[in-house]
Amino acid sequence: MASLHQSKANGYANGNAIHPEKRQNGSMTIPASSEQESTDINRWRLKDDHGCQTWHYLEDDEQVQAWPQSIADRYHLSLPLNLPDLPPPETPLDSVQNALSFFSQLQLPPGNWACEYGGPMFLLPGLVFAWYTTSTPIPAPIATEMKRYLFARQSPEDGGWGLHIEGESTAYGTTMTYVVLRLLGAGEEDERMIKARGMLHRLGGAVMGPHWAKFWLAVLGLMEWEAVNPVPPELWLLPDWVPIAPWRWWTHMRQVFLPMSYIYSTKWVFPQNSLIRQIREEIYTEPYSYVKFSHHRNCIHARDNYHPKSLILRIINWILVWIWFPLLRTNHIKQWAEDWTYELIHREDENTDYANLAPVNGAINTLACYIHDGPDSYTLRRHRERLPEFLWMKNEGMLVNGTNGVQTWDTSFLIEAVADAGLASDMKWRPMLSKALAFLEDQQMLEDCHEQAISYRQQRKGAWAFSTKVQGYTVSDTTSGALKAILMLQKEHHYPTLVSDSRIQDAIDTLLTMQNPSGGFASYEPQRGSELLEHLNAAEVFGRIMVEYDYPECSTAVATALRLFSKHYPSYRSADISRALDGALQYICKAQRSDGSWYGSWGICFTYAGMFALEALASAGETYTNSADVRKGCDFLVAKQRDDGGWGESYKSCETGVYSQRESQVVMTSWAIIALIAVDFPDRNVIERAVRLIMGRQQGNGEWLQEGIEGVFNKSVMISYPNYKFYWPIKALGLFARRYENPTIF
């Protein structure tokens, strides 16, 4: 038996075909190359209903004729647009006009813009796992395009997948993607799967994945639950005063661990079938029956172990596994905990009309509803209707977005960019901006959640969500951006008053609830728990995930919105606003590092945060001339300018906390320009070199091409913001034109 075990292990480890009998009896032929299936990309259409975005594949020719592809559809699918070249720009405003000529054609009927919001590789598998375990049919076009996307993102060097699209291959990314490809129909003898399997085995197999991977593998029946570290639903029974109570956690963390804890407690497993049994024998370095799963609860590959489990967490897990669950936990407590966690799951679903906070908790909530309410329930049916809103189709195939879109976020920034460029009153762009204003009016949330305190939800009346009002989560900088955009158009450029004074004041009331004692502002809600809770971070692959934090980006957004509001409403809550502004400014100054930089948590990284922080200081009257903090910030940025005049910062900065260079990027160069102009940086040549780079990379039709990834969350996960390459250059070039009287550059 030992010799058989050894030969099997060697076969697994090098990724060779694992069912040699199929090749021996001739029932399967391994192709010399793997041909990629694809749908007819000309048959895909994007529908936008009040910001709710869904992709549709038209099967018959009559539908295709009745619903022609729009320019936006074709752009997002990278199909030829056949747009004429525009006059070559000579000045920055020429470049801005060309950019708006292009970008305006991508505006959707409700007034917003759409885009991919991908990058993390763990999003798509979770959604497919939810479909598979709830026996939800996966339409063939979607399955085909998902496989195509995943193979397009496979590492050509080692055959694996990473945490995100620019990251190195990891056990998490490779395990999740390998399994989902098999469930979507990829064959184990496909040469790409053989290569992926080899990489997975070199990483130690599926037992080396992090907690979230092990959770889904256990649900699928591909791993025993004893390999999964505990997620006790009893945590949700703790009184609110307890320092570790989940209501104190960051909203994404608590909304993921809420349904995860419910399912963990039930130990629900998808019924085995032949495919599951087959995959079991593919993802480990030894036969499934040999794996001692209880020995692997704390196993994780070094590439995935961004935030190692603390000693206190390991001790707690040991107590839960060996004492609490087997010896002390009664059936009454178990049922009580499961009932209350499901009640909170149900409240999350109702408060978002089943759109959910994001696809991770959306997928797990779907399964929880299937387990609790059954396959014919309304709750499962409504989840099935909502999950496609996370899907995004592009030239590489179909991916899953990080939320159900970035509609409000992008629309607000576009308005601000056009206004800052001095073009908001230009009649050429008034129709575009009027539609954008109408979209923002439609997306404001006009009431709080039902019994929001019980659901641990932040006040939201008057606020805006990152994507749509249906998703329903207050975000501080999204609300601030939408508020600024509306004030710019309605108060400063005399657009129709779609958002009333009382609704604008509601937004201010909500923003003022979101300030931390430090003076800084967080993202979804004020910080509720101590940063020491990071010692209980069980996710492993993410950093700074347990609680809310102060962010220079959010603090600046709120501060600049409050100042603009006070300009037009000087008497409304003036004392409260003054205190909030003082606190925000103090936080911005305190958050500056000794080298003059600020660490960014939502964009890459020091460049992004530097732009916001310097804008905050500028809004308080600080400039390069009168402020030592500003000079330090500018000097840090200028020292990073590359020889070609641009700025390029790698995502490694986010992971390590140390500035890391990459080739110049149009988006990051725009951030630097905006920062320097905001604080009256005196060396025009530094800024003009950057302007020249941006203008030089603009295409003849007015667009800029996609470059490196722009966004980040939780320090280790990168995410795409493709529309950044439009409105940030528009703002940067427009500000330069206004500051220096629109000089000729080319």
Side-chain angles (χ1 to χ4, degrees):
M1 179 63 74
S3 61
L4 176 61
H5 180 193
Q6 184 63 48
S7 66
K8 280 273 192 178
N10 289 339
Y12 291 139
N14 64 27
N16 289 337
I18 63 168
H19 298 287
E21 71 282 358
K22 292 188 177 181
R23 291 181 287 125
Q24 291 169 356
N25 65 25
S27 63
M28 178 174 287
T29 302
I30 301 176
S33 62
S34 302
E35 294 187 11
Q36 180 60 60
E37 297 176 90
S38 176
T39 63
D40 181 353
I41 203 167
N42 291 285
R43 291 180 176 269
W44 286 97
R45 306 290 187 271
L46 176 64
K47 180 181 179 182
D48 188 326
D49 181 8
H50 293 275
C52 170
Q53 298 169 172
T54 50
W55 282 94
H56 301 265
Y57 188 71
L58 307 184
E59 296 280 2
D60 66 62
D61 293 339
E62 289 186 7
Q63 289 178 312
V64 171
Q65 293 297 320
W67 187 359
Q69 279 184 328
S70 67
I71 291 178
D73 292 340
R74 297 184 66 81
Y75 171 77
H76 295 307
L77 296 168
S78 298
L79 293 171
L81 302 181
N82 301 316
L83 296 176
D85 280 351
L86 301 168
E90 297 179 356
T91 70
L93 278 186
D94 290 341
S95 186
V96 169
Q97 293 281 0
N98 285 358
L100 289 172
S101 293
F102 183 87
F103 196 51
S104 63
Q105 297 185 75
L106 306 184
Q107 189 177 29
L108 299 176
N112 62 293
W113 282 262
C115 70
E116 167 192 353
Y117 188 48
M121 292 302 298
F122 55 86
L123 301 176
L124 187 155
L127 190 143
V128 174
F129 295 161
W131 279 339
Y132 191 81
T133 54
T134 60
S135 301
T136 301
I138 304 175
I142 289 177
T144 295
E145 292 300 340
M146 284 183 163
K147 286 187 291 182
R148 190 162 71 88
Y149 176 78
L150 294 173
F151 280 129
R153 287 298 174 178
Q154 185 176 26
S155 168
E157 287 79 26
D158 59 39
W161 291 267
L163 181 63
H164 56 87
I165 59 175
E166 291 194 6
E168 64 179 351
S169 296
T170 63
Y172 187 21
T174 304
T175 299
M176 297 280 277
T177 308
Y178 183 91
V179 171
V180 80
L181 279 167
R182 292 289 281 118
L183 297 181
L184 289 170
E188 82 277 14
E189 306 290 3
D190 185 309
E191 62 183 19
R192 298 166 297 185
M193 298 296 283
I194 294 173
K195 189 173 183 178
R197 196 160 58 243
M199 182 58 186
L200 176 56
H201 295 164
R202 288 193 296 276
L203 291 167
V207 293
M208 300 304 290
H211 186 253
W212 289 16
K214 288 173 177 171
F215 167 81
W216 274 118
L217 293 176
V219 163
L220 288 162
L222 295 172
M223 179 177 280
E224 300 302 312
W225 275 107
E226 62 201 56
V228 184
N229 268 312
V231 195
E234 289 89 331
L235 283 169
W236 297 90
L237 301 179
L238 293 173
D240 287 351
W241 57 263
V242 176
I244 65 169
W247 77 276
R248 300 180 184 276
W249 303 355
W250 186 47
T251 185
H252 279 276
M253 193 64 168
R254 69 174 183 262
Q255 290 300 347
V256 168
F257 272 70
L258 174 64
M260 194 178 278
S261 68
Y262 172 80
I263 296 169
Y264 176 85
S265 185
T266 67
K267 297 295 194 297
W268 187 89
V269 178
F270 179 74
Q272 284 189 36
N273 56 36
S274 59
L275 179 58
I276 293 296
R277 287 190 290 270
Q278 191 171 339
I279 298 172
R280 279 181 166 188
E281 302 304 328
E282 297 169 16
I283 60 177
Y284 300 101
T285 59
E286 58 185 339
Y288 188 85
S289 60
Y290 288 14
V291 180
K292 293 180 172 59
F293 286 101
S294 63
H295 294 183
H296 293 288
R297 280 192 301 105
N298 292 314
C299 291
I300 182 170
H301 194 276
R303 292 187 180 185
D304 296 271
N305 202 17
Y306 184 78
H307 187 99
K309 289 182 288 292
S310 67
L311 176 61
I312 184 66
L313 181 60
R314 293 167 74 99
I315 292 172
I316 291 171
N317 285 340
W318 187 92
I319 293 171
L320 289 169
V321 169
W322 299 108
I323 298 177
W324 173 252
F325 288 120
L327 303 178
L328 301 178
R329 190 194 206 201
T330 65
N331 287 332
H332 171 73
I333 292 175
K334 177 179 183 292
Q335 192 62 53
W336 180 23
E338 290 177 6
D339 289 346
W340 180 238
T341 52
Y342 189 76
E343 171 65 21
L344 293 175
I345 291 167
H346 183 60
R347 287 174 178 272
E348 157 71 357
D349 286 343
E350 287 196 327
N351 282 328
T352 63
D353 190 15
Y354 295 81
N356 295 130
L357 174 60
V360 176
N361 81 306
I364 308 176
N365 278 19
T366 300
L367 177 58
C369 289
Y370 176 83
I371 295 168
H372 187 275
D373 298 338
D376 300 320
S377 62
Y378 168 80
T379 59
L380 177 62
R381 183 169 69 252
R382 189 63 178 139
H383 272 298
R384 285 170 169 166
E385 293 168 352
R386 282 295 195 188
L387 286 178
E389 294 174 29
F390 295 117
L391 303 179
W392 186 263
M393 182 64 191
K394 59 181 295 186
N395 62 312
E396 293 177 315
M398 180 163 280
L399 56 92
V400 169
N401 280 337
T403 61
N404 61 339
V406 292
Q407 297 89 315
T408 297
W409 180 258
D410 277 347
T411 302
S412 301
F413 272 126
L414 182 279
I415 293 172
E416 184 178 343
V418 176
D420 284 340
L423 298 177
S425 295
D426 188 328
M427 294 304 296
K428 182 177 181 181
W429 307 119
R430 195 174 181 90
M432 175 189 74
L433 294 175
S434 295
K435 287 176 62 179
L437 175 61
F439 178 78
L440 294 183
E441 184 278 329
D442 182 59
Q443 293 302 315
Q444 188 180 23
M445 295 178 282
L446 303 181
E447 57 186 20
D448 290 321
C449 293
H450 176 63
E451 295 181 329
Q452 68 180 30
I454 296 176
S455 303
Y456 307 116
R457 288 291 297 273
Q458 175 67 17
Q459 177 177 322
R460 70 178 188 181
K461 183 180 180 182
W464 281 266
F466 186 67
S467 55
T468 66
K469 65 182 179 184
V470 173
Q471 189 260 8
Y473 273 83
T474 299
V475 181
S476 63
D477 50 358
T478 307
T479 298
S480 299
L483 182 60
K484 285 193 290 185
I486 290 165
L487 291 173
M488 285 174 170
L489 294 184
Q490 291 187 174
K491 296 297 184 181
E492 300 190 343
H493 295 281
H494 311 297
Y495 279 65
T497 301
L498 302 186
V499 182
S500 67
D501 290 349
S502 62
R503 287 171 58 181
I504 289 172
Q505 290 164 359
D506 287 342
I508 294 298
D509 292 343
T510 292
L511 284 176
L512 289 173
T513 70
M514 302 183 75
Q515 191 166 29
N516 290 324
S518 64
F521 285 81
S523 53
Y524 292 91
E525 57 207 13
Q527 189 178 76
R528 297 173 172 181
S530 167
E531 295 176 18
L532 293 174
L533 281 170
E534 293 296 346
H535 289 293
L536 303 184
N537 180 353
E540 300 165 315
V541 295
F542 313 115
R544 285 167 51 105
I545 194 173
M546 287 301 297
V547 297
E548 278 279 12
Y549 288 87
D550 299 312
Y551 302 111
E553 307 98 302
C554 298
S555 301
T556 296
V558 177
T560 52
L562 292 177
R563 288 194 190 280
L564 185 59
F565 171 84
S566 293
K567 175 183 173 182
H568 297 287
Y569 300 86
S571 62
Y572 187 79
R573 298 192 65 175
S574 57
D576 294 332
I577 290 173
S578 180
R579 283 192 295 270
L581 289 172
D582 289 344
L585 185 63
Q586 291 171 12
Y587 159 71
I588 291 290
C589 294
K590 184 178 179 180
Q592 188 176 31
R593 296 185 173 191
S594 59
D595 63 2
S597 68
W598 288 268
Y599 179 86
S601 296
W602 303 106
I604 300 173
C605 169
F606 296 100
T607 318
Y608 186 70
M611 172 186 67
F612 281 100
L614 289 173
E615 281 190 312
L617 296 176
S619 73
E622 297 194 25
T623 67
Y624 190 87
T625 302
N626 65 21
S627 169
D629 292 337
V630 168
R631 286 193 294 274
K632 285 173 59 180
C634 290
D635 292 346
F636 176 86
L637 283 178
V638 172
K640 307 304 180 186
Q641 188 174 30
R642 299 181 64 83
D643 291 342
D644 59 8
W647 276 262
E649 187 177 359
S650 166
Y651 73 83
K652 290 293 184 182
S653 296
C654 306
E655 295 179 343
T656 65
V658 178
Y659 190 98
S660 179
Q661 291 270 9
R662 69 174 300 169
E663 67 278 3
S664 292
Q665 308 283 298
V666 163
V667 171
M668 293 167 185
T669 302
S670 300
W671 293 340
I673 291 172
I674 293 165
L676 296 175
I677 290 177
V679 293
D680 295 337
F681 181 72
D683 190 342
R684 171 175 168 173
N685 182 59
V686 168
I687 305 173
E688 190 162 321
R689 290 175 59 221
V691 166
R692 183 178 295 272
L693 179 135
I694 293 175
M695 292 178 63
R697 291 193 184 179
Q698 190 173 29
Q699 304 300 297
N701 62 6
E703 69 172 318
W704 283 276
L705 302 180
Q706 185 64 33
E707 297 175 335
I709 204 161
E710 309 92 346
V712 63
F713 60 90
N714 300 124
K715 300 185 73 172
S716 61
V717 190
M718 308 308 132
I719 195 161
S720 300
Y721 287 84
N723 287 337
Y724 276 12
K725 64 180 178 289
F726 291 106
Y727 51 75
W728 290 119
I730 288 171
K731 178 170 179 171
L733 296 178
L735 289 173
F736 181 85
R738 296 180 71 182
R739 175 62 55 87
Y740 296 108
E741 298 182 346
N742 197 30
T744 298
I745 302 296
F746 289 106

